[in-house]
Amino acid sequence: MSEEKQITLPVLGMTCANCVSSVERNSKKVEGVTAATVNFASEKVTFSYDPAIIKGQSVTTAVIEKVKRAGYEIPTASLELSLLGMTCANCVATIERALNKVDGVLSATVNYASEKAAVTYASGAVSRAEMVAAVRKAGYDVVEMADDEDEQDAEAAAREAEVQHQQTRLIVGVLFSLPLFLFSMSRDFGFFGEWAHATWVNWLFLILATPVQFYVGWDYYVGAYKSLRNGSANMDVLVALGSSVAYFYSIAVLLARTFWDSIALGEHVYFETSAVIITLIVLGKLLEARAKGRTSEAIKKLIGLQAKTARVVRNDQEMDIPIAEVVAGDWVIVKPGEKIPVDGVVVDGRSSVDESMITGESLPVGKSAGDELIGATLNKQGLLKFEATKVGRETALAQIIKLVEQAQGSKAPIQRVVDQVAAYFVPFVIAFAALTFVLWLSSDAGFVPALLRVTAVLVIACPC
C-alpha cells in the first residue's frame, strides 16, 4: 500500500453537528478515501486517500460531487496562467498532465496559440504558487508580474523578451550559417578548385558550425532534456537529434581524415546541414513568437477603451480616483468629452453619449435622469451625474473582455484530438527513423546513405 495523501476542502452550508456527520459519511463513500474529518468551526473537510487506488484529481472531483448531492457546497475557482517555453503541441499535453497531477486541481486546459492555461480548482485546496511550481518542474515557465504591474503589461513584456531572444539567435545563426552554406554548396558544385577540398577547409566549417550548434541550438538541447526527464518527447528532441546526428558524424569524419588519413566513415562532412536546420527552425520560432504576440492585441485594444480614473463625489467633495477604487453606489460626474468610467444610471443632467464602441450605432444617444450608461462610452455634450451600478469585472466592457479571453482560450474538438496524437507522434518518428536506418544498412547501401536517411526523417518531422 502506498503512502496516503490528504486534501482539505472548504464546505459551505453546514448548520449543525448532523451536517458534519453527513459530509464525513458522503466523503467516505468515494472509492479510495480511507478517512474523512470535518471541522465545523473552520467549515472544512479533510480526507485521506490512497494514490495507488485513485488519483488526486479524480478523488477531489468525486468528493465534491458526493458533498453537493448531500446538499452542501464546495466552492471552486478558475484562473489563467500565461505560459512561456512551449514549442509544439506535445508541450500542451505535458503541461496539462503536470497541472492535473496537482492535488486540488479539477481540470487544466492549455491553449498553444494563446500560450495560456485555464485551470479550475477547489478553492483553498491548492494555491497559484503550487500550480506555477508544477509548470516549472515540467520544464516551462509562467509570466509573473510585480505588484504594481498590469497582467497584460507583464505578458507583453515577456512576449517581447521572447521575440528579442529569438531575433538574437537568428542573427547569430545567419552570420555563421550563410557563409558556411554558400562555401559548402559552391565546393560541392565544383565552383572552387581542389584547394577547397583540403582538410583545413573542413576545420573551418567546424568552426563556423559550432556556435550555431551550441549557442543558437542550445534551447533545443535544454528543451529535449526537460521533455525526456518528464517522460515525454517533444519537437526539441527531434531538432536536437537531427542536427546532432549530422554535426557529430561530420566531426567523426573530420577526425578520421585528419589523424588517421582514413575515409572509412566517408569523405563528405555535413556541418552546413546541422547549421542550416537549426537556423531555419529558429526563423520559424521567431515568426511564431511574433504571431502569438498579436493574439492578445484584441484584448489590449478593448482594455485601452476603459477610462483610467473616475471623478466621484464623496463627503460632498469631488475627487479623482483610479477606476479600480470605484464602488457600486458611488455618485460619478462625467464632463463633456470624457469617457464614462463604469456602468450606471443617470441621476442628474442631460447629454448625448456615443455608444458606437458597444452597440455599433453611429449616432449619439440622448441620456437623461433614469437612463442607463455603459462604461467606456463617450459623453458628448452635457454634464452627467450618475450612480455607479456595476464596477470592476461586472461592467459590460469587462464581460466582453472576459468572453473574448474565453474564446481565445477555448479549444475546438479537433484540437483535442491533435493534442492526443502529438503525445505519440515524436516517439513514432524516432522509431521510424531507427527502422529506416536498419533497413538501409541491411540493404548494403552503406553507413553514410543510411545516416542521411535517418537525418532526413528526423528533420522533416521537426516542424510538426
Side-chain angles (χ1 to χ4, degrees):
M1 183 177 177
S2 60
E3 185 178 350
E4 292 186 349
K5 291 186 176 182
Q6 283 190 341
I7 296 179
T8 300
L9 302 175
V11 182
L12 304 179
M14 295 189 296
T15 58
C16 61
N18 189 54
C19 298
V20 172
S21 300
S22 178
V23 173
E24 288 180 347
R25 184 171 61 253
N26 281 278
S27 298
K28 291 176 183 177
K29 289 180 181 179
V30 176
E31 181 184 6
V33 173
T34 57
T37 304
V38 174
N39 186 317
F40 181 66
S42 62
E43 293 188 298
K44 291 183 178 180
V45 57
T46 300
F47 59 89
S48 303
Y49 71 97
D50 185 356
I53 299 176
I54 189 170
K55 295 180 179 179
Q57 184 185 59
S58 301
V59 72
T60 303
T61 303
V63 167
I64 290 175
E65 289 178 356
K66 289 287 186 183
V67 172
K68 284 185 176 181
R69 287 184 63 183
Y72 307 95
E73 188 69 28
I74 294 181
T76 60
S78 300
L79 61 77
E80 271 194 350
L81 300 176
S82 296
L83 305 171
L84 296 172
M86 292 195 295
T87 58
C88 64
N90 193 57
C91 299
V92 171
T94 301
I95 296 176
E96 286 181 348
R97 187 164 58 247
L99 286 171
N100 284 321
K101 285 181 180 178
V102 178
D103 289 343
V105 171
L106 304 179
S107 67
T109 304
V110 176
N111 186 290
Y112 179 64
S114 61
E115 291 191 302
K116 290 182 182 293
V119 185
T120 302
Y121 62 97
S123 300
V126 61
S127 65
R128 184 182 187 277
E130 291 175 293
M131 299 180 204
V132 171
V135 172
R136 288 176 174 162
K137 186 178 179 181
Y140 305 90
D141 206 355
V142 176
V143 176
E144 298 286 7
M145 59 182 179
D147 293 337
D148 59 346
E149 188 177 19
D150 183 78
E151 182 179 359
Q152 293 292 328
D153 293 338
E155 186 178 340
R159 300 284 178 258
E160 182 61 29
E162 173 66 14
V163 170
Q164 291 296 328
H165 175 63
Q166 298 294 350
Q167 278 182 339
T168 302
R169 294 170 63 210
L170 179 62
I171 291 171
V172 173
V174 170
L175 287 176
F176 286 94
S177 297
L178 188 58
L180 173 59
F181 175 76
L182 293 176
F183 195 175
S184 179
M185 290 297 101
S186 298
R187 182 179 73 170
D188 291 345
F189 283 109
F191 295 155
F192 300 130
E194 284 298 318
W195 66 268
H197 295 274
T199 303
W200 69 266
V201 175
N202 289 336
W203 282 102
L204 175 62
F205 288 175
L206 172 62
I207 293 172
L208 291 172
T210 299
V212 180
Q213 189 73 29
F214 296 109
Y215 172 72
V216 180
W218 183 248
D219 284 0
Y220 301 119
Y221 284 106
V222 174
Y225 166 73
K226 290 179 178 178
S227 176
L228 295 173
R229 184 184 64 186
N230 287 297
S232 62
N234 62 5
M235 191 200 74
D236 292 336
V237 175
L238 295 181
V239 177
L241 273 176
S243 61
S244 295
V245 165
Y247 179 81
F248 288 108
Y249 166 73
S250 298
I251 287 181
V253 171
L254 180 57
L255 293 176
R257 292 189 60 182
T258 302
F259 297 105
W260 294 282
D261 195 24
S262 170
I263 58 172
L265 295 176
E267 300 182 62
H268 198 284
V269 293
Y270 297 93
F271 289 117
E272 82 286 349
T273 302
S274 63
V276 171
I277 287 170
I278 292 173
T279 303
L280 288 177
I281 292 176
V282 169
L283 173 61
K285 289 298 173 186
L286 173 60
L287 297 176
E288 183 181 39
R290 286 178 172 173
K292 286 179 178 178
R294 295 191 186 102
T295 61
S296 58
E297 286 184 0
I299 300 293
K300 293 176 186 175
K301 288 179 180 178
L302 285 172
I303 292 175
L305 295 173
Q306 294 176 320
K308 303 299 181 184
T309 61
R311 186 176 297 105
V312 300
V313 178
R314 291 180 179 174
N315 299 322
D316 295 328
Q317 291 185 339
E318 292 184 14
M319 60 181 70
D320 290 337
I321 61 174
I323 190 172
E325 296 180 10
V326 179
V327 297
D330 274 341
W331 280 29
V332 185
I333 295 177
V334 184
K335 295 180 179 179
E338 294 181 341
K339 287 184 178 180
I340 296 169
V342 296
D343 295 2
V345 177
V346 178
V347 294
D348 189 24
R350 297 176 65 88
S351 183
S352 59
V353 176
D354 181 1
E355 296 181 341
S356 58
M357 53 83 64
I358 294 290
T359 64
E361 173 58 56
S362 59
L363 297 176
V365 181
K367 299 291 182 179
S368 58
D371 290 335
E372 293 186 352
L373 297 175
I374 303 173
T377 54
L378 183 65
N379 182 26
K380 283 288 192 178
Q381 295 175 345
L383 181 80
L384 289 175
K385 180 184 288 187
F386 70 95
E387 181 183 355
T389 55
K390 294 180 180 179
V391 298
R393 297 184 180 273
E394 296 179 353
T395 64
L397 182 61
Q399 293 298 313
I400 293 172
I401 293 172
K402 181 181 178 181
L403 288 173
V404 173
E405 288 176 336
Q406 289 176 345
Q408 287 185 344
S410 62
K411 284 185 180 181
I414 189 63
Q415 181 61 46
R416 299 184 186 277
V417 176
V418 171
D419 292 344
Q420 292 173 352
V421 171
Y424 303 99
F425 178 76
V426 175
F428 172 79
V429 169
I430 294 173
F432 193 76
L435 178 62
T436 301
F437 180 77
V438 171
L439 291 176
W440 275 86
L441 199 62
S442 61
S443 66
D444 297 327
F447 178 78
V448 175
L451 193 67
L452 290 176
R453 271 65 181 184
V454 169
T455 305
V457 171
L458 294 173
V459 171
I460 289 171
C462 284
C464 298

